[in-house]
Amino acid sequence: MQINLISVGSRMPGWVQQGYEKYARRLPRECELVLKEIAPGKRGKSSDIARIVKDEGERMMAAIPQGGHVVILDIPGQSWTTPELAQAMKRWLESGQHIAVLAGGPEGLPDFVKQRAHESWSLSNLTFPHPLVRILVAEQLYRAWSILHNHPYHRE
């Protein structure tokens, strides 16, 4: 299984790349975490935001692996505890499908992307900056894997 984090945003600061890679590298090949960046549309005073969000959504949909299980990051989604995320990961591993975790841009995900989702995951009721979301997702996926494999990381 491969977990694809499909995220709107590019040219992240070095600390974001380092934080993300710290946890992504720790995951074994059986649940490899791969980042797929979607370049954000240009936003300005007179931008057509609806068109930009639609375009970002179309590019995100194109990045989903064929037959992939889609999990969107969305505030009204399911709020999991880390052990519950571990159970979701166990289910994903058993399915044998590739997983696509989608993080939208500043305006979120368009409706057609939300309708494609099999699951909706809420990291928090708080709004996080997109760079931080990458690190949080990578760390929580690694923590969930560590629970499933009785690795000491979760207890540190």
mmCIF file of all heavy atoms in Angstrom, residues 10-38:
data_model
loop_
_atom_site.group_PDB
_atom_site.id
_atom_site.type_symbol
_atom_site.label_atom_id
_atom_site.label_comp_id
_atom_site.label_asym_id
_atom_site.label_seq_id
_atom_site.Cartn_x
_atom_site.Cartn_y
_atom_site.Cartn_z
ATOM 1 N N SER A 10 3.170 24.555 -2.810
ATOM 2 C CA SER A 10 4.514 24.204 -3.259
ATOM 3 C C SER A 10 5.486 25.211 -2.681
ATOM 4 O O SER A 10 5.089 26.177 -2.036
ATOM 5 C CB SER A 10 4.576 24.185 -4.789
ATOM 6 O OG SER A 10 4.183 25.437 -5.312
ATOM 7 N N ARG A 11 6.763 24.941 -2.894
ATOM 8 C CA ARG A 11 7.837 25.817 -2.404
ATOM 9 C C ARG A 11 7.725 26.071 -0.901
ATOM 10 O O ARG A 11 7.677 27.208 -0.433
ATOM 11 C CB ARG A 11 7.853 27.134 -3.158
ATOM 12 C CG ARG A 11 8.277 26.947 -4.599
ATOM 13 C CD ARG A 11 8.437 28.264 -5.298
ATOM 14 N NE ARG A 11 7.391 28.320 -6.306
ATOM 15 C CZ ARG A 11 6.788 29.400 -6.722
ATOM 16 N NH1 ARG A 11 7.117 30.560 -6.234
ATOM 17 N NH2 ARG A 11 5.863 29.358 -7.638
ATOM 18 N N MET A 12 7.643 24.980 -0.159
ATOM 19 C CA MET A 12 7.561 25.076 1.292
ATOM 20 C C MET A 12 8.927 25.400 1.888
ATOM 21 O O MET A 12 9.961 25.035 1.323
ATOM 22 C CB MET A 12 7.053 23.757 1.880
ATOM 23 C CG MET A 12 5.637 23.422 1.495
ATOM 24 S SD MET A 12 4.491 24.579 2.249
ATOM 25 C CE MET A 12 3.146 24.522 1.085
ATOM 26 N N PRO A 13 8.937 26.038 3.051
ATOM 27 C CA PRO A 13 10.213 26.314 3.712
ATOM 28 C C PRO A 13 10.932 25.017 4.081
ATOM 29 O O PRO A 13 10.302 23.960 4.219
ATOM 30 C CB PRO A 13 9.810 27.076 4.980
ATOM 31 C CG PRO A 13 8.374 27.432 4.816
ATOM 32 C CD PRO A 13 7.794 26.557 3.761
ATOM 33 N N GLY A 14 12.230 25.111 4.286
ATOM 34 C CA GLY A 14 13.033 23.941 4.607
ATOM 35 C C GLY A 14 12.560 23.190 5.839
ATOM 36 O O GLY A 14 12.585 21.961 5.884
ATOM 37 N N TRP A 15 12.096 23.917 6.855
ATOM 38 C CA TRP A 15 11.661 23.251 8.085
ATOM 39 C C TRP A 15 10.454 22.355 7.829
ATOM 40 O O TRP A 15 10.289 21.331 8.492
ATOM 41 C CB TRP A 15 11.375 24.252 9.204
ATOM 42 C CG TRP A 15 10.215 25.175 8.973
ATOM 43 C CD1 TRP A 15 10.263 26.422 8.416
ATOM 44 C CD2 TRP A 15 8.846 24.943 9.316
ATOM 45 N NE1 TRP A 15 8.994 26.975 8.368
ATOM 46 C CE2 TRP A 15 8.101 26.083 8.924
ATOM 47 C CE3 TRP A 15 8.161 23.889 9.898
ATOM 48 C CZ2 TRP A 15 6.721 26.200 9.104
ATOM 49 C CZ3 TRP A 15 6.781 24.003 10.085
ATOM 50 C CH2 TRP A 15 6.085 25.142 9.694
ATOM 51 N N VAL A 16 9.616 22.714 6.855
ATOM 52 C CA VAL A 16 8.447 21.889 6.524
ATOM 53 C C VAL A 16 8.920 20.595 5.871
ATOM 54 O O VAL A 16 8.486 19.500 6.252
ATOM 55 C CB VAL A 16 7.475 22.650 5.593
ATOM 56 C CG1 VAL A 16 6.335 21.742 5.145
ATOM 57 C CG2 VAL A 16 6.950 23.894 6.277
ATOM 58 N N GLN A 17 9.800 20.729 4.898
ATOM 59 C CA GLN A 17 10.332 19.540 4.217
ATOM 60 C C GLN A 17 11.034 18.619 5.205
ATOM 61 O O GLN A 17 10.837 17.411 5.184
ATOM 62 C CB GLN A 17 11.287 19.964 3.090
ATOM 63 C CG GLN A 17 11.690 18.847 2.185
ATOM 64 C CD GLN A 17 10.529 18.290 1.367
ATOM 65 O OE1 GLN A 17 9.519 18.946 1.141
ATOM 66 N NE2 GLN A 17 10.657 17.047 0.961
ATOM 67 N N GLN A 18 11.827 19.190 6.094
ATOM 68 C CA GLN A 18 12.545 18.384 7.089
ATOM 69 C C GLN A 18 11.577 17.680 8.033
ATOM 70 O O GLN A 18 11.745 16.495 8.332
ATOM 71 C CB GLN A 18 13.502 19.258 7.897
ATOM 72 C CG GLN A 18 14.693 19.737 7.112
ATOM 73 C CD GLN A 18 15.508 20.762 7.896
ATOM 74 O OE1 GLN A 18 15.049 21.346 8.867
ATOM 75 N NE2 GLN A 18 16.733 20.993 7.450
ATOM 76 N N GLY A 19 10.574 18.402 8.515
ATOM 77 C CA GLY A 19 9.601 17.805 9.428
ATOM 78 C C GLY A 19 8.805 16.698 8.767
ATOM 79 O O GLY A 19 8.611 15.619 9.342
ATOM 80 N N TYR A 20 8.355 16.946 7.539
ATOM 81 C CA TYR A 20 7.599 15.938 6.800
ATOM 82 C C TYR A 20 8.460 14.693 6.567
ATOM 83 O O TYR A 20 8.043 13.568 6.844
ATOM 84 C CB TYR A 20 7.108 16.514 5.467
ATOM 85 C CG TYR A 20 6.537 15.463 4.558
ATOM 86 C CD1 TYR A 20 5.229 15.036 4.706
ATOM 87 C CD2 TYR A 20 7.326 14.868 3.576
ATOM 88 C CE1 TYR A 20 4.708 14.042 3.899
ATOM 89 C CE2 TYR A 20 6.820 13.874 2.765
ATOM 90 C CZ TYR A 20 5.509 13.469 2.930
ATOM 91 O OH TYR A 20 5.005 12.470 2.132
ATOM 92 N N GLU A 21 9.667 14.898 6.056
ATOM 93 C CA GLU A 21 10.546 13.770 5.720
ATOM 94 C C GLU A 21 10.955 12.964 6.942
ATOM 95 O O GLU A 21 11.164 11.755 6.849
ATOM 96 C CB GLU A 21 11.781 14.265 4.967
ATOM 97 C CG GLU A 21 11.462 14.676 3.549
ATOM 98 C CD GLU A 21 12.657 15.226 2.801
ATOM 99 O OE1 GLU A 21 13.778 15.261 3.369
ATOM 100 O OE2 GLU A 21 12.476 15.618 1.641
ATOM 101 N N LYS A 22 11.072 13.623 8.099
ATOM 102 C CA LYS A 22 11.454 12.917 9.322
ATOM 103 C C LYS A 22 10.514 11.741 9.573
ATOM 104 O O LYS A 22 10.956 10.655 9.944
ATOM 105 C CB LYS A 22 11.420 13.874 10.509
ATOM 106 C CG LYS A 22 11.712 13.220 11.841
ATOM 107 C CD LYS A 22 11.679 14.222 12.971
ATOM 108 C CE LYS A 22 11.956 13.534 14.290
ATOM 109 N NZ LYS A 22 12.008 14.500 15.393
ATOM 110 N N TYR A 23 9.223 11.948 9.374
ATOM 111 C CA TYR A 23 8.245 10.889 9.639
ATOM 112 C C TYR A 23 7.967 10.031 8.409
ATOM 113 O O TYR A 23 7.788 8.827 8.526
ATOM 114 C CB TYR A 23 6.954 11.502 10.193
ATOM 115 C CG TYR A 23 7.229 12.203 11.500
ATOM 116 C CD1 TYR A 23 7.270 13.594 11.567
ATOM 117 C CD2 TYR A 23 7.516 11.486 12.650
ATOM 118 C CE1 TYR A 23 7.563 14.238 12.755
ATOM 119 C CE2 TYR A 23 7.813 12.123 13.838
ATOM 120 C CZ TYR A 23 7.826 13.501 13.881
ATOM 121 O OH TYR A 23 8.128 14.132 15.061
ATOM 122 N N ALA A 24 7.965 10.632 7.243
ATOM 123 C CA ALA A 24 7.709 9.855 6.016
ATOM 124 C C ALA A 24 8.781 8.789 5.823
ATOM 125 O O ALA A 24 8.467 7.658 5.438
ATOM 126 C CB ALA A 24 7.652 10.788 4.802
ATOM 127 N N ARG A 25 10.041 9.118 6.112
ATOM 128 C CA ARG A 25 11.138 8.155 5.962
ATOM 129 C C ARG A 25 11.041 7.006 6.954
ATOM 130 O O ARG A 25 11.567 5.929 6.697
ATOM 131 C CB ARG A 25 12.482 8.851 6.138
ATOM 132 C CG ARG A 25 12.940 9.618 4.927
ATOM 133 C CD ARG A 25 14.409 10.005 5.047
ATOM 134 N NE ARG A 25 14.687 10.723 6.286
ATOM 135 C CZ ARG A 25 14.967 12.016 6.367
ATOM 136 N NH1 ARG A 25 15.033 12.738 5.280
ATOM 137 N NH2 ARG A 25 15.195 12.592 7.520
ATOM 138 N N ARG A 26 10.399 7.233 8.090
ATOM 139 C CA ARG A 26 10.295 6.192 9.111
ATOM 140 C C ARG A 26 9.272 5.117 8.744
ATOM 141 O O ARG A 26 9.340 4.012 9.280
ATOM 142 C CB ARG A 26 9.893 6.802 10.454
ATOM 143 C CG ARG A 26 10.970 7.662 11.067
ATOM 144 C CD ARG A 26 10.504 8.195 12.397
ATOM 145 N NE ARG A 26 11.515 9.040 13.006
ATOM 146 C CZ ARG A 26 11.429 9.519 14.242
ATOM 147 N NH1 ARG A 26 10.378 9.225 14.990
ATOM 148 N NH2 ARG A 26 12.369 10.284 14.735
ATOM 149 N N LEU A 27 8.331 5.463 7.891
ATOM 150 C CA LEU A 27 7.314 4.479 7.513
ATOM 151 C C LEU A 27 7.923 3.426 6.597
ATOM 152 O O LEU A 27 8.683 3.748 5.688
ATOM 153 C CB LEU A 27 6.130 5.162 6.819
ATOM 154 C CG LEU A 27 5.206 5.927 7.765
ATOM 155 C CD1 LEU A 27 4.317 6.878 6.982
ATOM 156 C CD2 LEU A 27 4.376 4.965 8.589
ATOM 157 N N PRO A 28 7.575 2.159 6.814
ATOM 158 C CA PRO A 28 8.128 1.091 5.977
ATOM 159 C C PRO A 28 7.482 1.064 4.600
ATOM 160 O O PRO A 28 6.455 1.703 4.358
ATOM 161 C CB PRO A 28 7.785 -0.176 6.762
ATOM 162 C CG PRO A 28 6.535 0.183 7.484
ATOM 163 C CD PRO A 28 6.669 1.640 7.840
ATOM 164 N N ARG A 29 8.069 0.309 3.717
ATOM 165 C CA ARG A 29 7.579 0.212 2.337
ATOM 166 C C ARG A 29 6.118 -0.253 2.277
ATOM 167 O O ARG A 29 5.393 0.128 1.376
ATOM 168 C CB ARG A 29 8.475 -0.747 1.546
ATOM 169 C CG ARG A 29 8.107 -0.864 0.098
ATOM 170 C CD ARG A 29 9.347 -0.775 -0.767
ATOM 171 N NE ARG A 29 9.016 -0.925 -2.167
ATOM 172 C CZ ARG A 29 8.711 0.092 -2.957
ATOM 173 N NH1 ARG A 29 8.689 1.305 -2.497
ATOM 174 N NH2 ARG A 29 8.441 -0.113 -4.229
ATOM 175 N N GLU A 30 5.686 -1.045 3.248
ATOM 176 C CA GLU A 30 4.312 -1.553 3.239
ATOM 177 C C GLU A 30 3.264 -0.444 3.353
ATOM 178 O O GLU A 30 2.114 -0.645 3.007
ATOM 179 C CB GLU A 30 4.092 -2.564 4.360
ATOM 180 C CG GLU A 30 4.055 -1.943 5.743
ATOM 181 C CD GLU A 30 3.903 -2.945 6.859
ATOM 182 O OE1 GLU A 30 4.558 -3.994 6.791
ATOM 183 O OE2 GLU A 30 3.139 -2.681 7.783
ATOM 184 N N CYS A 31 3.676 0.717 3.846
ATOM 185 C CA CYS A 31 2.764 1.868 3.852
ATOM 186 C C CYS A 31 3.570 3.141 3.603
ATOM 187 O O CYS A 31 3.529 4.097 4.359
ATOM 188 C CB CYS A 31 1.925 1.940 5.117
ATOM 189 S SG CYS A 31 2.827 2.037 6.642
ATOM 190 N N GLU A 32 4.263 3.144 2.485
ATOM 191 C CA GLU A 32 5.099 4.268 2.052
ATOM 192 C C GLU A 32 4.253 5.531 1.918
ATOM 193 O O GLU A 32 3.155 5.508 1.367
ATOM 194 C CB GLU A 32 5.725 3.904 0.703
ATOM 195 C CG GLU A 32 6.544 4.991 0.090
ATOM 196 C CD GLU A 32 7.046 4.617 -1.291
ATOM 197 O OE1 GLU A 32 6.443 3.753 -1.959
ATOM 198 O OE2 GLU A 32 8.050 5.203 -1.705
ATOM 199 N N LEU A 33 4.772 6.632 2.430
ATOM 200 C CA LEU A 33 4.096 7.926 2.336
ATOM 201 C C LEU A 33 4.767 8.754 1.247
ATOM 202 O O LEU A 33 5.971 9.002 1.300
ATOM 203 C CB LEU A 33 4.147 8.655 3.678
ATOM 204 C CG LEU A 33 3.467 10.016 3.754
ATOM 205 C CD1 LEU A 33 1.978 9.921 3.397
ATOM 206 C CD2 LEU A 33 3.643 10.614 5.146
ATOM 207 N N VAL A 34 3.974 9.165 0.257
ATOM 208 C CA VAL A 34 4.482 9.920 -0.890
ATOM 209 C C VAL A 34 3.734 11.251 -0.975
ATOM 210 O O VAL A 34 2.500 11.272 -0.981
ATOM 211 C CB VAL A 34 4.275 9.121 -2.198
ATOM 212 C CG1 VAL A 34 4.704 9.938 -3.401
ATOM 213 C CG2 VAL A 34 5.015 7.804 -2.142
ATOM 214 N N LEU A 35 4.471 12.333 -1.031
ATOM 215 C CA LEU A 35 3.887 13.659 -1.160
ATOM 216 C C LEU A 35 3.729 14.017 -2.628
ATOM 217 O O LEU A 35 4.684 13.918 -3.405
ATOM 218 C CB LEU A 35 4.772 14.699 -0.466
ATOM 219 C CG LEU A 35 4.320 16.155 -0.574
ATOM 220 C CD1 LEU A 35 2.974 16.366 0.095
ATOM 221 C CD2 LEU A 35 5.381 17.064 0.042
ATOM 222 N N LYS A 36 2.524 14.427 -3.006
ATOM 223 C CA LYS A 36 2.265 14.928 -4.356
ATOM 224 C C LYS A 36 1.761 16.360 -4.209
ATOM 225 O O LYS A 36 0.661 16.594 -3.725
ATOM 226 C CB LYS A 36 1.220 14.065 -5.072
ATOM 227 C CG LYS A 36 1.699 12.646 -5.329
ATOM 228 C CD LYS A 36 0.664 11.846 -6.084
ATOM 229 C CE LYS A 36 1.160 10.446 -6.388
ATOM 230 N NZ LYS A 36 0.152 9.680 -7.131
ATOM 231 N N GLU A 37 2.605 17.297 -4.598
ATOM 232 C CA GLU A 37 2.255 18.704 -4.473
ATOM 233 C C GLU A 37 1.461 19.170 -5.684
ATOM 234 O O GLU A 37 1.812 18.855 -6.823
ATOM 235 C CB GLU A 37 3.511 19.558 -4.346
ATOM 236 C CG GLU A 37 4.245 19.363 -3.042
ATOM 237 C CD GLU A 37 5.438 20.291 -2.897
ATOM 238 O OE1 GLU A 37 6.149 20.524 -3.900
ATOM 239 O OE2 GLU A 37 5.655 20.771 -1.786
ATOM 240 N N ILE A 38 0.423 19.922 -5.419
ATOM 241 C CA ILE A 38 -0.389 20.547 -6.456
ATOM 242 C C ILE A 38 -0.116 22.042 -6.378
ATOM 243 O O ILE A 38 -0.362 22.670 -5.341
ATOM 244 C CB ILE A 38 -1.893 20.259 -6.228
ATOM 245 C CG1 ILE A 38 -2.181 18.750 -6.149
ATOM 246 C CG2 ILE A 38 -2.739 20.958 -7.283
ATOM 247 C CD1 ILE A 38 -1.848 17.968 -7.397
#
